[in-house]
Amino acid sequence: MERLEDIKEYWTMRAEGYSDSILDELRTDRHRRWLDLINRHIDGRALKVLDIGTGPGFFPILLGKEGHDVTAVDYTEAMLDKARSNCQEFGVPARLMRMDAQSLDLPDDAFDLILSRNLIWDLERPRQAYREWLRVLRPGGTMIVFDGNYYLHLYDEQFTRVERDKNDGHRFIKGVDVNIMKDIAKGLPLSRERRPQWDVNTLIELGASSIELSMDGDRVEYRSDEGETISLPFDFTLFVRK
């Protein structure tokens, strides 16, 4: 837990720029990709949704406009402030609470759908987080996790970081020194793991009934010390059933 406050401080600095980033998605057609993907994995009825690590409120706005009942949590107050403001701007009701994703103060089997975007890599206790998320998901419910191998290059010298699209969220960085996050990431457990293999194995051990993977984004291919070609996704999506 010693890094939790450092992580919160970094995302406090990033709150304004991250908010601009998600507003850019919501005001253009870019948000359709997320909505279409989610809709392919739910049955069309209004759901009780939990967004974990909501940041500036992207999923509460996206799914609130579709009529879902959204609860959203984040540990960083500055992010929740932005989420409240953004939800108000879009006229979307949302239940926003400050909470540690690794220890949820929520009842068992409470949600039909759980969402998390670019969070699990950023946690000190990711296995504990997955255990908690499955706990609050109802039997038969769906969990969708968007994440990636963002800092594997710190520990795997052969894993070369893919050059990202110049129009991604980092154009909203607002002068924040990203080396702060790099230094924090050196001490986070998932920076050392090849994923999504780690996630799949962990979720199976924790009792998930089915897991589907999507790896449509950039991939990194390199040769292992044994001469084998290794192919890993930079980004991936997990669709998990309890």
Side-chain angles (χ1 to χ4, degrees), residues 48-59:
K48 289 192 66 176
V49 180
L50 176 64
D51 177 23
I52 305 177
T54 190
F58 180 74
F59 284 133

Side-chain angles (χ1 to χ4, degrees), residues 3 18 20 26 29 78 80 119 172 203 205 218:
R3 291 188 175 270
Y18 195 14
D20 289 347
L26 289 165
D29 288 338
L80 291 170
L119 173 67
F172 297 99
L203 288 162
E205 291 170 0
D218 294 321

Side-chain angles (χ1 to χ4, degrees), residues 40-221:
R40 287 200 297 271
H41 289 83
I42 59 178
D43 59 16
R45 64 189 175 87
L47 302 176
K48 289 192 66 176
V49 180
L50 176 64
D51 177 23
I52 305 177
T54 190
F58 180 74
F59 284 133
I61 295 169
L62 190 70
L63 295 182
K65 291 171 69 175
E66 297 292 306
H68 298 288
D69 178 9
V70 184
T71 298
V73 302
D74 203 287
Y75 191 73
T76 303
E77 296 97 330
M79 287 292 186
L80 291 170
D81 288 343
K82 289 293 184 182
R84 291 185 186 96
S85 176
N86 293 334
C87 287
Q88 184 175 12
E89 177 182 339
F90 281 85
V92 174
R95 196 175 299 105
L96 301 166
M97 296 183 286
R98 183 173 183 262
M99 204 171 293
D100 181 359
Q102 302 159 119
S103 181
L104 298 173
D105 186 17
L106 296 167
D108 296 353
D109 306 332
F111 297 95
D112 304 303
L113 174 65
I114 291 178
L115 298 169
S116 175
R117 179 182 179 186
N118 299 341
L119 173 67
I120 200 78
W121 69 269
D122 196 20
L123 298 177
E124 294 177 274
R125 297 178 294 151
R127 183 184 178 90
Q128 173 64 21
Y130 273 146
R131 181 183 291 112
E132 279 287 275
W133 301 2
L134 287 170
R135 177 183 66 78
V136 302
L137 184 66
R138 69 165 178 81
T142 300
M143 179 167 69
I144 305 179
V145 177
F146 306 95
D147 217 84
N149 282 301
Y150 303 134
Y151 286 94
L152 181 60
H153 63 284
L154 295 175
Y155 291 99
D156 190 331
E157 294 179 358
Q158 293 176 298
F159 185 90
T160 303
R161 182 164 187 157
V162 176
E163 183 67 23
R164 308 304 291 155
D165 185 334
K166 299 302 182 184
N167 291 321
D168 73 1
H170 284 284
R171 67 190 173 101
F172 297 99
I173 204 71
K174 298 284 187 180
V176 177
D177 184 2
V178 294
N179 287 316
I180 297 171
M181 190 69 244
K182 181 179 178 180
D183 289 341
I184 293 172
K186 289 177 182 177
L188 297 176
L190 291 188
S191 297
R192 300 173 180 266
E193 299 287 347
R194 289 180 178 177
R195 304 176 65 205
Q197 294 93 318
W198 179 91
D199 304 74
V200 171
N201 290 338
T202 298
L203 288 162
I204 289 171
E205 291 170 0
L206 293 175
S209 65
S210 69
I211 303 170
E212 178 185 338
L213 279 173
S214 175
M215 297 176 285
D216 295 334
D218 294 321
R219 296 180 72 94
V220 176
E221 291 192 355

Side-chain angles (χ1 to χ4, degrees), residues 1-8 124-125 184 187-188:
M1 296 294 288
E2 63 187 34
R3 291 188 175 270
L4 186 58
E5 294 304 314
D6 293 336
I7 294 167
K8 185 185 80 168
E124 294 177 274
R125 297 178 294 151
I184 293 172
L188 297 176

